Amino acid sequence: MKETNMNPRQKTVLEELDMRYVQRYQPGAKRRICCDTVNDLAMAWLQERYGTIKKSTFSGYQYCVRMHILPGLGTIPLKELNGEAVLTFIDKMRRKGLANSTVYSVSIILKAIIKYGIQTNLVGKEIMVYCSVSSRRPESRVLMIQDSIRMRDYLLEKDTVFSIAILLCRGTGIRIGELCGLKWGDIDFSANTITIKRTISRIPNPDTSDGQPRTILYIRTPKSHTSMREIPIPCYLVEPLQKMMQKQNQYVLTGSETCTEPRNVQKKFKTILRHCDMQDCNFHAMRHGFATACLEKGIDCKTVSSILGHSSTRTTMDFYVHTSLRQKQDCINALN
């Protein structure tokens, strides 16, 4: 792990590419710790996980605790924490208008904190049942085939590194952070493949001390071993990429040893949508569209899941596959 400062106009960068030194969190045996309030318990829970999980995961936990759990429950003494307090907290989050997915995520972390309290004999087991919140994930926008073709033609005509890189995402389903982390050395033109070795994101700074930036650019290995994968390059992109090839240690999108970040790519992607007179969507719509198009063409789910870097085919089916109107029509007409 290394931390470097970029020029004064850029934020701190944290690079963490070798995760072998990180010990996976193992719940400890029951023991006594000194905690009087939910705030104390939450801080103890965070402290025990620090250094055992990736910085991005820890940062997400820390943000959720600081922004949601502590303001709502932090001052409550543990001896007064009960099911009614938990249900009231969840209800207040909903009445604030928070997305159902946010309420769900907060409840998951609160449940982990309370479980930690049970393990340390500070909280009663009966509270756990009140922490469960269901979440229905909204169906995301999919880049439809007609839009995808229009965008492809526009980007091929532009013939820039950025336009070809966007087409690489369109044709492989890689994530925006993985594109930002792609270096020329990750491209093997002898096999015409790319290897996903790193991903880039902006996260809340785990270091909340005075003088530190609120966010940092985080360069890390993909979130799971299945996300570190080799993917074939679409045939029509091999030659354009070969012509643009630069030094092995340079990032594809910047042509330098300094990376760009997802929000910059997202802004440029929005510009592409406007030029192509396409309906607004986020970058992830290409990933959804890729998965859906592959399965519509009869490609088996296991292969698609492997290309996307999912740990299971269920993830692919549940979150990235959308039934098109044409498929619904085919189903109805099959009964005639």
Side-chain angles (χ1 to χ4, degrees):
M1 181 181 71
K2 65 179 181 179
E3 187 171 326
T4 57
N5 286 321
M6 302 172 72
N7 65 54
R9 297 189 63 184
Q10 292 176 300
K11 300 286 188 180
T12 301
V13 175
L14 179 65
E15 188 168 353
E16 195 170 52
L17 296 178
D18 187 353
M19 297 302 296
R20 288 174 296 178
Y21 74 94
V22 175
Q23 300 297 316
R24 183 178 295 276
Y25 172 70
Q26 298 290 345
K30 286 190 175 182
R31 56 199 177 283
R32 296 294 300 180
I33 59 174
C34 296
C35 292
D36 296 320
T37 65
V38 173
N39 181 94
D40 297 336
L41 184 64
M43 291 299 103
W45 178 78
L46 283 172
Q47 184 177 6
E48 183 155 308
R49 278 148 187 77
Y50 185 78
T52 69
I53 54 181
K54 289 186 175 182
K55 286 289 192 300
S56 56
T57 304
F58 180 82
S59 181
Y61 289 168
Q62 188 180 48
Y63 179 84
C64 179
V65 168
R66 186 174 69 249
M67 298 301 295
H68 298 291
I69 295 175
L70 295 189
L73 295 170
T75 60
I76 297 179
L78 290 178
K79 60 183 179 181
E80 297 179 14
L81 183 63
N82 53 34
E84 183 180 353
V86 172
L87 290 177
T88 300
F89 167 69
I90 293 173
D91 183 59
K92 285 183 177 179
M93 282 198 297
R94 284 175 168 155
R95 284 192 280 112
K96 285 180 181 178
L98 296 177
N100 191 42
S101 58
T102 300
V103 176
Y104 176 76
S105 297
V106 173
S107 71
I108 291 294
I109 295 175
L110 176 60
K111 191 172 185 177
I113 293 171
I114 289 177
K115 186 176 181 180
Y116 177 68
I118 294 171
Q119 291 171 344
T120 52
N121 301 306
L122 293 169
V123 177
K125 294 181 179 180
E126 67 279 357
I127 301 178
M128 285 290 287
V129 69
Y130 298 96
C131 299
S132 297
V133 174
S134 62
S135 175
R136 183 178 183 275
R137 186 166 180 162
E139 190 166 289
S140 300
R141 166 104 157 86
V142 175
L143 190 65
M144 303 306 292
I145 187 66
Q146 60 269 26
D147 290 335
S148 181
I149 293 173
R150 191 183 322 138
M151 186 176 71
R152 180 200 63 190
D153 294 343
Y154 169 79
L155 292 174
L156 284 174
E157 185 178 346
K158 296 289 287 184
D159 195 29
T160 63
V161 170
F162 185 81
S163 66
I164 298 302
I166 296 299
L167 288 174
L168 189 62
C169 289
R170 172 189 174 273
T172 62
I174 64 174
R175 302 174 178 94
I176 189 170
E178 294 169 343
L179 175 63
C180 291
L182 189 68
K183 293 185 177 183
W184 286 105
D186 302 328
I187 303 178
D188 181 359
F189 286 112
S190 63
N192 290 335
T193 60
I194 59 172
T195 301
I196 304 301
K197 297 180 179 179
R198 67 193 68 78
T199 185
I200 295 171
S201 58
R202 182 165 290 283
I203 64 173
N205 193 349
D207 185 354
T208 58
S209 57
D210 291 342
Q212 292 296 317
R214 293 178 60 185
T215 63
I216 58 173
L217 200 59
Y218 187 38
I219 307 172
R220 60 174 173 83
T221 51
K223 60 183 180 180
S224 67
H225 71 280
T226 54
S227 292
M228 298 183 70
R229 60 204 188 278
E230 187 177 41
I231 307 172
I233 301 171
C235 293
Y236 76 101
L237 296 180
V238 172
E239 186 176 347
L241 283 169
Q242 284 179 321
K243 291 179 179 179
M244 297 170 179
M245 179 72 177
Q246 298 188 45
K247 295 180 180 178
Q248 298 279 297
N249 62 342
Q250 293 180 334
Y251 287 96
V252 171
L253 286 181
T254 63
S256 70
E257 295 181 28
T258 301
C259 65
T260 188
E261 61 177 294
R263 64 183 178 185
N264 294 335
V265 176
Q266 188 74 264
K267 289 177 182 177
K268 291 183 178 180
F269 180 69
K270 298 285 188 178
T271 301
I272 292 171
L273 295 179
R274 290 193 294 271
H275 278 297
C276 294
D277 194 27
M278 292 167 55
Q279 182 180 342
D280 185 53
C281 63
N282 61 34
F283 196 91
H284 211 69
M286 285 196 295
R287 183 169 167 86
H288 287 282
F290 171 81
T292 302
C294 286
L295 290 163
E296 282 187 0
K297 290 180 180 296
I299 300 172
D300 67 279
C301 188
K302 181 66 176 177
T303 298
V304 178
S305 181
S306 176
I307 293 172
L308 293 174
H310 290 158
S311 58
S312 71
T313 56
R314 180 175 179 177
T315 303
T316 309
M317 295 301 295
D318 286 351
F319 299 139
Y320 293 89
V321 180
H322 305 262
T323 305
S324 68
L325 180 59
R326 182 184 61 77
Q327 287 176 301
K328 293 175 183 177
Q329 290 172 334
D330 289 345
C331 179
I332 296 299
N333 293 335
L335 300 178
N336 290 341

